[in-house]
Amino acid sequence: MAIELPDDLIALERTAWEEIQAGALTVETAAAVQARITAVAAESGESRIDVEMALKRAVRHPAPDADAA
């Protein structure tokens, strides 16, 4: 079963990923992502690591659009 990732968490991770790629990740951004991952894990009953892995997969390695085929 796929983990439901809230839009605000995806937006936070996208910001962090952009900062990482620019070599400018801030402690504040990283801490905000980790805090939200922890909250989502607690709310959903999923493990924190499973939420983080699903998030990174969704943001950093998105599936190709089905419409592109």
Side-chain angles (χ1 to χ4, degrees):
M1 183 166 106
I3 296 173
E4 292 292 324
L5 300 169
D7 292 339
D8 66 318
L9 177 56
I10 292 172
L12 280 170
E13 179 62 20
R14 282 189 179 135
T15 298
W17 183 232
E18 289 169 3
E19 289 181 13
I20 289 167
Q21 291 180 309
L25 179 64
T26 64
V27 172
E28 292 79 15
T29 300
V33 172
Q34 290 300 312
R36 189 65 180 118
I37 288 170
T38 301
V40 168
E43 293 165 5
S44 68
E46 299 286 345
S47 75
R48 197 200 62 76
I49 191 69
D50 288 343
V51 172
E52 184 169 0
M53 288 189 322
L55 177 63
K56 289 186 185 316
R57 200 169 23 253
V59 171
R60 299 179 186 193
H61 308 286
D65 289 338
D67 296 336

